[in-house]
Amino acid sequence: MRAQRIRKAVFPVAGLGTRFLPATKTVPKEMLPIVDKPLIQYAVDEAIEAGCDTLVFITNRYKHAVADYFDKAYELEQKLEKAGKAQQLELIRNVLPPGITAIFVTQPEALGLGHAVLCAKEVVGDEPFAILLPDDLIWSRGDGALKQMADHAEASGHGVIAVQDVPLEQTRSYGIVDAPGFEGQVGRIKAIVEKPAPDQAPSNLAVVGRYILPPTIFGLLEKTPRGAGGEIQLTDAIAMLLGVSPVDAFRFHGTRFDCGTHLGLIEATVRYALDHELLSGPAREMMQSALDELGVVET
Ligand code: UTP
């Protein structure tokens, strides 16, 4: 991979979000809020912080809400301006800051994450790019996870995949990498397997939804046969990529919340509320009184 700064970020958001039905019948999963921002906004902010100026959203024809959210809201802006609500005006204008381009590509059928990424081929062209799955929310006090990864990609010229240590009994829920001798923050990936049973897993290093990949991945995705559930798996194409281009596993600084699950979304809401400059105190009190009221006693 060429050692260069990534500029383009792909957000595959065309999934059906079945785990959040019935809410996701009309509200895309990526539009579910954590405190005051939808999940997609956290991922977009992280990509922009990492240096990306072109954001590619892979949506489906039912998900107008994502495109609407990033569109300019003229009427609302005028009303806020007239009412002198400068702070709120700033908030909605900063959804997409100046100089950032948003491109929307439709995935005609939900044929899997790999297929969704392939839909970005023409827009990304011949340069390394990032993929962010917005339901993996990463909370960090310092640099965001993608910025940490982009710095490493730029310095090394390698592909980079975010990983975190998970308990061995959870390997069935993740892509798992084999990175022999992995210690500290970075290790070269030798193999990757999708959702292995604990006794088949090569490690407990689980893939998190942040990737920096070379454009070679598109040709490999075109050759990837449909796997489990008739879907084209990104993991299968990455497994082929490992044979032609170096890819590193990267243990980022930060806490990841799996907002594709109910508990993960609740956990993220609690954490962001407790870390919020205005809400932290009242949120703490509210949680305490809920625990008291329900008779939950500390042991
Ligand atoms: P998930 O496996 O989380 O699927 O997709 P999902 O449809 O979003 O949610 P559940 O499991 O039904 O609740 C991982 C990522 O890949 C995207 C999703 O939008 C999500 O960001 N994706 C998945 C697509 O863009 N297209 C697809 O065909 C499948």
Side-chain angles (χ1 to χ4, degrees):
M1 189 170 103
R2 281 198 305 272
Q4 65 183 78
R5 196 77 201 167
I6 47 152
R7 290 191 317 110
K8 293 180 178 163
V10 175
F11 302 86
V13 292
L16 303 176
T18 54
R19 282 172 290 177
F20 277 104
L21 284 170
T24 44
K25 199 168 162 228
T26 52
V27 182
K29 177 170 73 172
E30 300 74 20
M31 293 305 295
L32 296 176
I34 301 294
V35 184
D36 51 0
K37 289 193 286 185
L39 282 170
I40 189 80
Q41 183 76 59
Y42 289 95
V44 158
D45 291 348
E46 190 183 322
I48 294 172
E49 184 214 1
C52 297
D53 59 13
T54 305
L55 313 180
V56 186
F57 299 92
I58 312 299
T59 61
N60 64 39
R61 63 183 154 284
Y62 308 107
K63 285 201 177 174
H64 301 293
V66 178
D68 288 350
Y69 176 77
F70 288 106
D71 209 353
K72 201 170 163 66
Y74 287 104
E75 238 184 274
L76 182 59
E77 286 195 17
Q78 272 177 359
K79 279 194 174 151
L80 292 173
E81 211 160 355
K82 265 194 193 148
K85 299 198 166 175
Q87 209 181 343
Q88 285 90 335
L89 191 62
E90 183 77 2
L91 281 175
I92 60 161
R93 282 191 175 150
N94 274 342
V95 160
L96 211 59
I100 305 294
T101 305
I103 298 170
F104 295 87
V105 178
T106 303
Q107 183 186 21
E109 251 185 290
L111 293 179
L113 175 58
H115 181 257
V117 171
L118 184 54
C119 292
K121 180 182 171 193
E122 304 305 328
V123 181
V124 169
D126 189 28
E127 56 184 289
F129 66 105
I131 303 167
L132 297 94
L133 307 189
D135 54 0
D136 269 338
L137 175 60
I138 303 180
W139 180 83
S140 155
R141 281 205 193 278
D143 284 346
L146 192 70
K147 167 139 193 337
Q148 300 168 38
M149 293 166 67
D151 289 346
H152 175 66
E154 189 179 18
S156 65
H158 294 179
V160 189
I161 298 180
V163 294
Q164 72 171 23
D165 301 80
V166 295
L168 208 52
E169 61 272 17
Q170 289 179 12
T171 56
R172 268 186 224 278
S173 307
Y174 295 95
I176 299 288
V177 301
D178 184 13
F182 184 103
E183 263 178 49
Q185 201 170 22
V186 185
R188 180 77 61 86
I189 303 178
K190 289 279 179 287
I192 183 165
V193 253
E194 190 61 28
K195 303 185 171 68
D199 59 343
Q200 308 282 315
S203 76
N204 68 336
L205 288 172
V207 173
V208 169
R210 301 288 184 276
Y211 310 76
I212 293 175
L213 297 175
T216 336
I217 195 72
F218 293 121
L220 299 171
L221 280 167
E222 281 166 339
K223 283 197 267 177
T224 304
R226 292 193 190 190
E231 297 196 334
I232 296 175
Q233 304 286 347
L234 180 60
T235 305
D236 292 344
I238 292 175
M240 290 193 258
L241 179 68
L242 298 177
V244 291
S245 189
V247 182
D248 291 338
F250 188 89
R251 218 184 239 138
F252 53 92
H253 295 294
T255 308
R256 170 249 184 190
F257 300 99
D258 181 2
C259 294
T261 68
H262 298 135
L263 260 186
L265 193 77
I266 295 168
E267 195 185 0
T269 304
V270 169
R271 179 70 67 97
Y272 277 76
L274 290 175
D275 195 48
H276 194 279
E277 56 170 337
L278 300 177
L279 299 175
S280 172
R284 195 178 295 260
E285 276 172 34
M286 191 196 66
M287 286 174 211
Q288 191 55 58
S289 75
L291 291 172
D292 294 344
E293 218 171 287
L294 292 170
V296 182
V297 202
E298 261 185 52
T299 48

